[in-house]
Amino acid sequence: MSISYRNGTLPKGPLKVDRPLSMNSSTKSSSSSFKSKNSGHAPASATRRKSTGSVVNSAVNAKDDNSVSGRVRVAVRLRPRNAEEMESDADFADCVELQPELKRLKLRRNNWDSDTYEFDEVLTEFSSQKRVYEVVAKPVVESVLDGYNGTVMAYGQTGTGKTYTLGRLGEEDTADRGIMVRAMEDILAEITPEKDSISVSYFQLYMESIQDLLNPMNDNISIVEDPKTGDVSLPGATTVDIRDQKSFLELLRVGEAHRFAANTKLNTESSRSHAMLMVHVERSVKGRDSAISSENGSASHTAKAFKPPVVRKSKLVVVDLAGSERIDKSGSEAHTLEEAKSINLSLSALGKCINALAENSAHVPVRDSKLTRLLRDSFGGTARTSLVITIGPSPRHRGETASTIMFGQRAMKVENMLKIKEEFDYKSLSRRLEMQLEKQIAEHERQQKGFKDDIERITREAQIRITEAEKGYAEALERERSRYQNDYMDAISKLEEQWAANKQKQENEKAKSSMLSASLEVAELKKLFENETISRKVAEEEIDNLKNQLAQWKRSEAAGNSEILKLRKMLEDEKCQKAKLEEEIAVLRNQLMQLSFEADETRRNLDRGETVKLPGTLDSPIPPFMHQHLGDSGNGEKASMAKLFEQVGLQKILSLLESEDADVQIHAVKVVANLAAEEANQERIVKAGGLKSLLTLLRSSNDETIHRVAAGAIANLAMNETNQELIMSQGGISLLSVTAAKAEDPQTLRMVAGAIANLCGNEKLQPKLRGEGGVKALLGMVRCRHPDVLAQVARGIANFAKCESRAYTQGSKTGKSLLIEDGTLPWIVQNANNEASPIRRHIELALCHLAQHEINAKDMIKVGALWELVRISRDCSRDDIRTLAYRTLTSSPSFQAELKRLRIDYG
């Protein structure tokens, strides 16, 4: 439990006090149903180390770090013979003899000699599950309920009954219930659900990976260690609160269903993982049972009222270790063998730790395995630990039985320092303070209500007094009103008399002034008449202006009507022009279809012909789509192209590439491809934006035919070095690579491979070509296996290797070949003796160029290229290639050393 305060008055983190385990039952609650047994965990004579410290927290002082030594208790349990042993070992006596009354065990060496060992408990094959629980686990469970950590662990050879002892659910027979089920029954019987809590985690250690048995998706839980206390925890494991035995049994069923098991020769359901059940118990402490409570005798009553209650936190760990096994006996193999290795390694690490603790070694290798890290508190830590070792009676497994017994003997020498852990329960204090606050609020509300009642009473009394005062004031006011009314009537009579006198006087004066006012009115009327006359003249002028504007608007309307007539005539002319243009487009479309048909016919004729060498490049034949036009068909196509230029124009042909009609696009791109086959037309096509249009088609179109023909056109343009740089700068190699990855048609792949092969012949562009995936695209197209496609791939690799060889010679390249880095060498070696002569010739040339440089020699020797070079130097039909291979083999120190190692005389 962790409480943090912003003002810093209390320390961050829980306030813990460790108290030693009591050696008698007087420290337990009187209501406890458990009667603790002095079972050897801590002898009566054990000395207690005490050190007194103080923790300041609201004037609370507590005992700190009191501990008591407790040895690991070890019990041995013998499994009865199974059916197989009864049959195979019928003529042999058991290898062990038990003396439970003396707590001894004899391990027979032979018929006349044996070794004797003593344990804390010796359990025969007839011992019940209840007896096993009471002598092995019950003292540990009692300690856990008192606030100590506890561990119950089973160790032994596979198939000796560890899982039966610990994890048996007893669904068919309740007498078969194991330690897990019985421990939870006792814990639930002792706790108070309203004040105490129990939570459970269930996980397994499988192949050095901690996996949650309650949530299989959580298969890699990390171990967290407290840097101050060294405590180990698994914050990533699923934790389930337990309220009754039924939910706990269901949890065990879920965990067992997810645990790894396998069928071996020694056990049909052999556990392949170490399973751990972790039970966390929190109990409230009352009165002087708490080490914290007993230190505050002098505190004031107020301080005690606000002192937080104390909680004891303890942990019970039940460990079902996977059984140790010998591979030759268990018959483990494949993945089961790997599991057995992992189990034996973790058990070996545990044995090393116990040996070190038994010998009081300065170093204990707890970090050699996750198992030893998880059991750090159980051996040499602060937990009370009981170990049950399980053995079998069969003399065939005497070695494993002896190893298990020695493990238990060493474990008995391990001493743990038992500690009780208590913490302030600030949550309970908070709840108690909230209840007190609610009581204070209720009291305040009650007082507030009484105050309101007093106010209402005073208000009523004041209202009565006000009513009486208002009544007296109204009577006085009425008397005053009557007196003032009489005075008012007298004043009115006097004013009426005065008004009659004044009225008479005014009538006399009015008669005199009436004559003067009549003359003034006549003058005013004359002035108004003059103003009206002027206004009428202004209105007449405005009317004349409006008439003029109306006439002008009528003239403008007539002019607008004539303009509309002219526009209508122009619209009709435009319609006629549009009809003529549509007729012209139809004619052009027919011409394009005819030219495309002629080009396809010519290409099919050329495909049946022989390839010719391209001047200026060593042994790099022109691809089939680059054959020069031969014979009458070639001359006819040239004439058609020239006629097309004259009649239509290149711009119109390129504009048809953007048509929404797919057929028009296909015919147009075919025409452009045929035009691009002529070197004279290539510059005009590029300047007119043809290259950009072709790349746009590759990017936007999904038509396979358009991809094929557009790639062929780009391949024709790529024969020019200037065009190669333009293609690379406009992202052409990326588009070709994407097209190659999507295409399935061999002809499309042949066109794309030919375009990339032409680009491979430019050594300036090689780094960029390789960086944008050109080499990998070439290598990816070999999936087609079509000879024409493979020939173009081989030509591209040969061009690339030749440019690299030239760069090595000029000193501009020093590293390993990019072809080797991209993984093309195995394919080159595989096809070096291909039946198709174009493929073989290009591959042989590429091998010779790669082998010329010593830095590539080791990689070539690894994949068997040396043998192909020897064959080429002897059997190649081309003299120049044969000579180049021979010169490379004789000049390379690496090749010479390998030939010498293989005892091949080659000089």
Side-chain angles (χ1 to χ4, degrees), residues 448-459:
Q448 189 74 12
K449 185 177 180 181
F451 178 69
K452 288 182 178 179
D453 293 340
D454 292 341
I455 290 177
E456 290 178 357
R457 179 177 56 77
I458 295 171
T459 302

Side-chain angles (χ1 to χ4, degrees), residues 437-541:
L437 179 61
E438 289 176 356
K439 290 181 180 178
Q440 293 292 337
I441 291 173
E443 179 64 20
H444 174 72
E445 290 178 350
R446 186 185 61 77
Q447 293 178 357
Q448 189 74 12
K449 185 177 180 181
F451 178 69
K452 288 182 178 179
D453 293 340
D454 292 341
I455 290 177
E456 290 178 357
R457 179 177 56 77
I458 295 171
T459 302
R460 286 195 298 271
E461 292 177 357
Q463 189 68 30
I464 293 171
R465 293 178 181 178
I466 290 171
T467 303
E468 293 175 353
E470 286 179 349
K471 185 176 180 181
Y473 175 75
E475 293 176 353
L477 184 62
E478 182 65 25
R479 288 194 297 270
E480 288 293 323
R481 188 181 67 78
S482 300
R483 183 172 62 83
Y484 284 122
Q485 188 173 6
N486 295 331
D487 294 343
Y488 171 73
M489 295 302 296
D490 294 341
I492 288 297
S493 299
K494 292 178 180 180
L495 288 173
E496 286 178 350
E497 293 175 356
Q498 188 177 358
W499 179 77
N502 289 335
K503 183 177 181 181
Q504 185 63 36
K505 185 177 180 182
Q506 287 176 359
E507 288 179 353
N508 296 333
E509 292 178 354
K510 185 177 181 180
K512 293 180 180 179
S513 61
S514 60
M515 297 298 294
L516 180 60
S517 60
S519 61
L520 292 174
E521 289 178 359
V522 171
E524 185 68 24
L525 289 173
K526 287 181 179 180
K527 187 175 182 180
L528 290 173
F529 178 74
E530 291 176 357
N531 292 336
E532 287 293 329
T533 303
I534 294 170
S535 298
R536 181 177 178 183
K537 290 181 179 179
V538 172
E540 289 176 352
E541 292 176 357

Side-chain angles (χ1 to χ4, degrees), residues 110-138:
N110 45 49
N111 291 334
W112 58 85
D113 194 10
S114 62
D115 295 323
T116 302
Y117 302 95
E118 291 186 358
F119 290 94
D120 294 304
E121 291 291 342
V122 175
L123 303 167
T124 68
E125 65 270 33
F126 305 108
S127 297
S128 65
Q129 291 281 73
K130 180 179 180 181
R131 169 66 177 164
V132 173
Y133 170 73
E134 288 179 347
V135 301
V136 174
K138 190 169 185 178

Side-chain angles (χ1 to χ4, degrees), residues 9-18 51-66 291-293 295-296 307-308 422-424 426:
T9 57
L10 288 177
K12 295 183 178 180
L15 177 60
K16 297 184 179 180
V17 172
D18 297 336
S51 60
T52 305
S54 62
V55 179
V56 179
N57 187 352
S58 300
V60 177
N61 296 326
K63 293 180 181 178
D64 185 30
D65 198 21
N66 292 331
I292 300 176
S293 301
E295 294 297 319
N296 262 346
K307 183 179 68 177
E422 296 180 347
E423 298 179 4
F424 281 142
Y426 290 104

Side-chain angles (χ1 to χ4, degrees), residues 771-807:
E772 295 184 7
V775 176
K776 290 186 177 179
L778 272 179
L779 195 59
M781 284 186 277
V782 302
R783 70 182 187 278
C784 178
R785 301 183 180 275
H786 194 280
D788 292 344
V789 178
L790 297 181
Q792 294 305 316
V793 172
R795 183 171 72 88
I797 292 175
N799 286 345
F800 200 97
K802 179 185 175 183
C803 290
E804 278 195 331
S805 178
R806 189 182 300 117

Side-chain angles (χ1 to χ4, degrees), residues 164-181:
Y164 176 84
T165 301
L166 296 179
R168 191 76 170 181
L169 299 182
E171 294 176 330
E172 297 178 357
D173 186 358
T174 57
D176 289 341
R177 289 171 298 160
I179 288 175
M180 291 182 182
V181 178

Side-chain angles (χ1 to χ4, degrees), residues 17-115:
V17 172
D18 297 336
R19 199 180 76 175
L21 175 65
S22 300
M23 300 311 300
N24 51 56
S25 61
S26 62
T27 58
K28 297 179 182 178
S29 174
S30 59
S31 62
S32 174
S33 64
F34 283 0
K35 302 300 179 182
S36 177
K37 298 181 180 180
N38 188 359
S39 53
H41 281 269
S45 61
T47 59
R48 301 188 180 185
R49 298 180 299 168
K50 298 183 179 180
S51 60
T52 305
S54 62
V55 179
V56 179
N57 187 352
S58 300
V60 177
N61 296 326
K63 293 180 181 178
D64 185 30
D65 198 21
N66 292 331
S67 58
V68 64
S69 175
R71 178 175 60 79
V72 175
R73 293 189 75 251
V74 181
V76 60
R77 186 181 193 186
L78 177 64
R79 171 182 59 77
R81 287 193 177 194
N82 55 33
E84 181 184 357
E85 291 170 346
M86 289 180 179
E87 180 179 351
S88 60
D89 298 338
D91 298 333
F92 300 95
D94 292 349
C95 67
V96 293
E97 178 184 349
L98 303 184
Q99 296 176 335
E101 65 281 355
L102 299 178
K103 298 185 179 180
R104 289 180 181 175
L105 175 148
K106 287 186 177 181
L107 177 64
R108 291 192 178 93
R109 295 183 180 178
N110 45 49
N111 291 334
W112 58 85
D113 194 10
S114 62
D115 295 323

Side-chain angles (χ1 to χ4, degrees), residues 625-825:
F625 45 84
M626 282 293 298
H627 281 305
Q628 294 182 356
H629 305 290
L630 302 176
D632 296 336
S633 61
N635 294 331
E637 186 174 353
K638 287 182 179 180
S640 300
M641 294 299 112
K643 183 177 180 181
L644 184 66
F645 270 122
E646 293 174 0
Q647 293 181 355
V648 180
L650 181 60
Q651 286 294 343
K652 286 189 177 182
I653 295 174
L654 294 179
S655 66
L656 293 177
L657 294 177
E658 302 176 359
S659 174
E660 296 181 357
D661 191 335
D663 292 336
V664 174
Q665 278 189 331
I666 293 172
H667 292 307
V669 76
K670 285 183 178 180
V671 173
V672 174
N674 283 283
L675 291 174
E678 299 251 354
E679 186 175 355
N681 298 331
Q682 291 179 0
E683 183 178 357
R684 296 176 60 189
I685 292 172
V686 173
K687 286 184 177 180
L691 175 60
K692 184 177 181 181
S693 298
L694 291 171
L695 293 174
T696 303
L697 278 179
L698 278 184
R699 183 184 298 107
S700 60
S701 177
N702 294 323
D703 190 275
E704 184 81 10
T705 304
I706 291 178
H707 285 175
R708 181 176 67 252
V709 182
I714 293 172
N716 291 337
L717 294 176
M719 297 298 294
N720 183 286
E721 184 175 350
T722 303
N723 294 343
Q724 291 174 354
E725 295 179 356
L726 288 174
I727 292 171
M728 293 295 294
S729 64
Q730 295 181 19
I733 190 64
S734 299
L735 291 174
L736 290 171
S737 300
V738 172
T739 304
K742 294 180 179 179
E744 297 294 337
D745 179 42
Q747 295 304 319
T748 303
L749 293 173
R750 179 171 68 93
M751 297 296 182
V752 175
I756 298 178
N758 289 340
L759 295 173
C760 287
N762 190 331
E763 66 179 275
K764 297 178 183 178
L765 304 177
Q766 282 196 342
K768 187 174 182 181
L769 185 141
R770 186 248 187 173
E772 295 184 7
V775 176
K776 290 186 177 179
L778 272 179
L779 195 59
M781 284 186 277
V782 302
R783 70 182 187 278
C784 178
R785 301 183 180 275
H786 194 280
D788 292 344
V789 178
L790 297 181
Q792 294 305 316
V793 172
R795 183 171 72 88
I797 292 175
N799 286 345
F800 200 97
K802 179 185 175 183
C803 290
E804 278 195 331
S805 178
R806 189 182 300 117
Y808 279 121
T809 304
Q810 295 173 356
S812 59
K813 180 174 178 63
T814 57
K816 188 186 295 185
S817 170
L818 299 179
L819 290 173
I820 295 178
E821 291 183 357
D822 278 356
T824 60
L825 189 55

